[in-house]
Amino acid sequence: MIDVHVHLEKGDYSVEWIKQFVAYAVKRNIDEIYFLEHTHIFKECRNLYNEMSVYNEYQKNWYQKKWEQARPLKDYIDYIEKLKQMYSFDFLVGSIHFIDGWAFSHMKQRWNKNDYDMDELYERYYALMLSLINSRLFSGLAINYGDKQLGMNADMLECMVKYNVPILTASDAHSPQNVGLYIKEMNDLIQCV
């Protein structure tokens, strides 16, 4: 089993911190963990949030709190390099956020210029959506916000299975005890479709 969405941001970038994540993964029979970080936790990524942080007071306050805790990207890269000597894994810093930001602004610009007819826009949006979500069946809303539904909309899941879109399971764990949480149940959902 696999958990492709795990964050380390609440810890101190120590070996002990990552060992806690690994221990829960082993306990839940998770074979692979994908660690990733939101770009808002890195000082160097501040410019990505300029437009969003002035949109309204709520978002301004949200980002200000994140910025106060922001870390240098170098600290994370050094941490990953240290961990690579202990564990076998690759890392990619914030790529989905950079891609997502580019894709959203690109689509918004094209929409404003009325360059697409509706059929073409829908097809492009659908293809883009499938590539951006990386076909993840996600339990983060259940874990972090108490949502009763695991994963994605049932119709969407059925469509993805029907068209053989590879589906990866993801917890959105922000703490060790949530690594691999509901992954087995999500695999069962995929098998039942």
Side-chain angles (χ1 to χ4, degrees):
M1 290 190 295
I2 187 169
D3 188 342
V4 299
H5 194 121
V6 175
H7 300 282
L8 298 169
E9 69 185 88
K10 291 189 176 180
D12 61 358
Y13 289 166
S14 67
V15 172
E16 293 74 27
W17 181 237
I18 200 151
K19 282 184 176 180
Q20 292 178 50
F21 285 87
V22 172
Y24 275 95
V26 169
K27 185 190 288 187
R28 292 193 172 116
N29 297 316
I30 303 299
D31 302 309
E32 292 182 52
I33 307 170
Y34 289 24
F35 293 102
L36 59 128
E37 295 299 341
H38 298 288
T39 53
H40 66 253
I41 74 165
F42 301 119
K43 292 180 185 244
E44 293 82 356
C45 297
R46 185 173 191 164
N47 65 336
L48 296 174
Y49 295 88
N50 289 341
E51 184 179 348
M52 180 279 301
S53 65
V54 296
Y55 183 73
N56 62 36
E57 199 63 28
Y58 174 82
Q59 289 184 194
K60 178 181 175 183
N61 292 334
W62 174 86
Y63 185 67
Q64 184 58 39
K65 288 177 187 172
K66 297 296 183 183
W67 174 248
E68 290 167 4
Q69 299 172 15
R71 307 171 183 190
L73 181 58
K74 184 178 182 337
D75 290 357
Y76 182 66
I77 292 171
D78 291 347
Y79 180 58
I80 296 300
E81 291 301 322
K82 181 178 173 181
L83 293 173
K84 279 183 174 181
Q85 297 170 14
M86 298 175 61
Y87 300 100
S88 172
F89 68 93
D90 295 321
F91 81 102
L92 193 57
V93 178
S95 64
I96 192 68
H97 297 284
F98 286 107
I99 293 168
D100 186 32
W102 172 84
F104 177 75
S105 75
H106 176 73
M107 292 297 286
K108 189 167 116 179
Q109 288 170 1
R110 299 300 294 236
W111 179 271
N112 289 338
K113 291 180 182 177
N114 294 320
D115 286 349
Y116 296 132
D117 66 32
M118 287 305 289
D119 293 334
E120 182 183 2
L121 182 64
Y122 175 79
E123 288 173 20
R124 286 177 181 259
Y125 177 75
Y126 181 72
L128 181 64
M129 179 195 61
L130 288 180
S131 66
L132 285 177
I133 63 172
N134 200 18
S135 309
R136 292 182 187 163
L137 191 58
F138 190 62
S139 66
L141 294 176
I143 292 170
N144 299 315
Y145 302 102
D147 192 324
K148 293 187 183 357
Q149 180 180 339
L150 274 184
M152 63 182 71
N153 173 282
D155 292 335
M156 178 63 119
L157 178 60
E158 187 177 322
C159 179
M160 294 175 89
V161 169
K162 178 180 177 180
Y163 291 103
N164 298 313
V165 176
I167 301 170
L168 303 173
T169 50
S171 69
D172 190 21
H174 285 76
S175 59
Q177 65 270 21
N178 289 334
V179 172
L181 193 58
Y182 302 127
I183 297 295
K184 182 186 179 316
E185 292 83 350
M186 289 187 292
N187 280 316
D188 290 346
L189 279 174
I190 296 166
Q191 297 304 315
C192 290
V193 174

